[in-house]
């Protein structure tokens, strides 16, 4: 790939009050799976891709196995992954796309990126049942965990599937057993892009290439809603921690 622009996932040593300490220079290959940047994808857009887009693609296709006409419920619908998922499931022919956010302002943002309806977190399971005439949805995508995951299972239709891809709540991991799943023939699976990078880097490389094509072909756009110089990385982290951000935040090197 000499002379090519590539997409790879790097890391920082520390992000604190004073800013960011970068790791020493390292070979590109050491950053994990590397994928050549496709024509039609500019560098600013590529900066939003490495974690978000492969995760979204896997949730919808490789792990979630969405079929045309099915209904989907997405937690964190206004975040970076939620923004990409809303567009991907719409392009895949989903019959109904529902999101969950923590505020009305975030709900408005999500509605502009592929969602048919967006519910607030407090009563989303009841709202889903009302919206689907009591049936529930076919696929739930959950990065929150804890009680939210349990309520997501309750919002599934018969033969429904839930994909867990995080535990943002920090709650004790909730375990689903035979008694929880068998009555309605439900299934639960998990996904972590970082774990996949460690255990199956070739699979992640192929996944990232497929995901990049959705941007190059115009199926998905990832809006950058705020930009920060690298030395203000701590402020970007505070914004994310305050749960008021939408879309993607971008750090740039002057």
């Amino acid at each position: 790939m000499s002379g090519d622009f590539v997409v790879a996932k790097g890391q920082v040593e520390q992000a604190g009050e004073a800013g960011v300490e970068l790791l020493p220079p390292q070979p590109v290959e050491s950053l994990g799976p590397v994928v050549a940047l496709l024509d039609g994808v500019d560098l600013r857009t590529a900066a939003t891709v490495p974690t978000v887009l492969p995760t979204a693609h896997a949730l919808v296709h490789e792990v979630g196995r969405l079929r045309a006409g099915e209904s989907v419920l997405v937690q964190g619908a206004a975040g970076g992954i939620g923004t990409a998922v809303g567009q991907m499931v719409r392009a895949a022919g989903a019959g109904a796309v529902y999101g969950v956010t923590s505020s009305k302002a975030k709900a408005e943002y999500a509605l502009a990126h592929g969602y048919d309806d967006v519910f607030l977190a407090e009563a989303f399971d009841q709202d889903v049942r009302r919206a689907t005439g009591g049936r529930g949805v076919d696929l739930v995508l959950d990065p929150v965990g804890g009680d939210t995951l349990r309520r997501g299972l309750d919002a599934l239709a018969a033969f429904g599937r839930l994909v867990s891809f995080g535990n943002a709540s920090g709650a004790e991991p909730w375990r689903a057993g035979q008694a929880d799943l068998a009555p309605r023939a439900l299934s639960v699976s998990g996904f972590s892009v970082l774990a996949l990078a460690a255990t199956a880097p070739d699979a992640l490389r192929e996944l990232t290439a497929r995901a990049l094509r959705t941007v190059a072909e115009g199926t998905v756009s990832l809006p950058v809603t705020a930009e920060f110089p690298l030395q203000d990385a701590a402020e970007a982290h505070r914004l994310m921690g305050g749960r008021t951000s939408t879309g993607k935040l971008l750090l740039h090197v002057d």
Side-chain angles (χ1 to χ4, degrees):
M1 293 185 181
S2 177
D4 292 338
F5 287 113
V6 298
V7 175
K9 180 174 176 56
Q11 67 182 104
V12 296
E13 184 69 30
Q14 181 178 350
E17 293 296 322
V20 173
E21 292 182 27
L22 292 176
L23 288 170
Q26 21 183 347
V28 169
E29 291 78 6
S30 70
L31 298 177
V34 176
V35 178
L37 191 61
L38 300 178
D39 291 340
V41 180
D42 60 79
L43 293 179
R44 187 170 181 271
T45 299
T48 69
V49 164
T51 298
V52 167
L53 208 59
T55 297
H57 198 283
L59 296 176
V60 175
H61 297 291
E62 288 81 1
V63 185
R65 301 179 186 277
L66 180 70
R67 296 184 290 268
E70 289 189 321
S71 54
V72 185
L73 176 70
V74 184
Q75 295 284 347
I81 291 172
T83 299
V85 165
Q87 298 169 76
M88 280 190 188
V89 296
R90 179 63 65 206
V97 187
Y98 303 113
V100 180
T101 64
S102 59
S103 70
K104 291 182 179 179
K106 287 187 173 185
E108 290 297 321
Y109 173 90
L111 286 168
H113 291 89
Y115 291 88
D116 295 308
D117 205 350
V118 181
F119 313 122
L120 296 182
E122 290 79 5
F124 76 85
D125 44 346
Q126 301 167 42
D127 292 333
V128 167
R129 289 291 175 184
R130 277 196 294 269
T132 60
R135 176 184 180 274
V137 295
D138 299 296
L139 178 63
V140 170
L141 305 178
D142 177 74
V144 182
D147 184 61
T148 297
L149 187 149
R150 181 191 61 77
R151 292 165 60 204
L153 281 176
D154 291 342
L156 282 171
F159 303 106
R161 310 174 304 281
L162 184 148
V163 182
S164 171
F165 64 105
N167 188 35
S169 66
E172 187 72 21
W174 191 83
R175 301 182 185 279
Q178 180 77 0
D180 305 295
L181 305 179
R184 285 180 291 133
L186 307 180
S187 60
V188 177
S189 53
F191 180 78
S192 165
V193 70
L194 297 180
L196 191 66
T199 61
D202 289 341
L204 179 56
R205 186 178 295 106
E206 294 167 3
L207 168 62
T208 302
R210 289 192 295 272
L212 266 176
R213 284 196 288 272
T214 67
V215 174
E217 295 167 358
T219 302
V220 174
S221 63
L222 293 173
V224 175
T225 54
E227 296 188 38
F228 299 84
L230 187 59
Q231 60 268 27
D232 292 342
E235 181 59 33
H237 278 272
R238 278 192 289 270
L239 181 60
M240 289 190 293
R243 301 183 66 193
T244 58
S245 63
T246 57
K248 288 295 295 178
L249 308 183
L250 188 66
L251 297 177
H252 57 84
V253 180
D254 295 325

